[in-house]
Amino acid sequence: SLQDKNALHLYSVNGKYLGSETLKEEVSDLCVTGDYIVMGSLQGFLSIRDLYSLSLSISPLAMRLPIHCISVTKEYSHILVGLEDGKLIIIGVGKPAEV
């Protein structure tokens, strides 16, 4: 049934359908930054997808608790993830030397 499925749909600014991707998790928050979509799920996974192809850029990161909110810093250097238990997880983005 459609109730058990989640999907991410992509449309142009003019409303033209560009594509979709079926998701295994229930999205709780997402943030569009540059050419990427950063998504958090109630199942506790943080995913980063390409904005145009909707394909995963990296394998999902397990946070082990439901994600309630996501934010990306202005310089795109860190991802801030708020978890259900009130913890704030800070993830460095980029090469290890840059983080």
Side-chain angles (χ1 to χ4, degrees):
S1 70
L2 292 176
Q3 295 173 351
D4 298 333
K5 298 191 183 221
N6 297 297
L8 184 63
H9 300 282
L10 181 64
Y11 291 87
S12 72
V13 175
N14 298 328
K16 180 182 176 189
Y17 175 77
L18 299 175
S20 65
E21 185 72 29
T22 303
L23 304 174
K24 295 177 183 172
E25 304 96 26
E26 186 177 347
V27 176
S28 56
D29 194 19
L30 65 84
C31 184
V32 177
T33 58
D35 293 338
Y36 297 96
I37 302 170
V38 183
M39 299 182 343
S41 71
L42 292 178
Q43 289 72 26
F45 290 100
L46 178 71
S47 305
I48 300 174
R49 294 181 172 270
D50 181 78
L51 179 61
Y52 304 104
S53 69
L54 299 179
S55 62
L56 285 170
S57 296
I58 61 166
S59 349
L61 300 170
M63 297 288 136
R64 299 186 181 172
L65 289 170
I67 296 173
H68 278 250
C69 61
I70 292 177
S71 183
V72 178
T73 59
K74 188 165 56 169
E75 302 83 23
Y76 306 122
S77 60
H78 294 83
I79 299 172
L80 310 173
V81 181
L83 301 179
E84 182 181 52
D85 65 352
K87 290 181 182 170
L88 176 66
I89 306 296
I90 301 171
I91 301 168
V93 179
K95 298 176 184 166
E98 296 172 354
V99 179

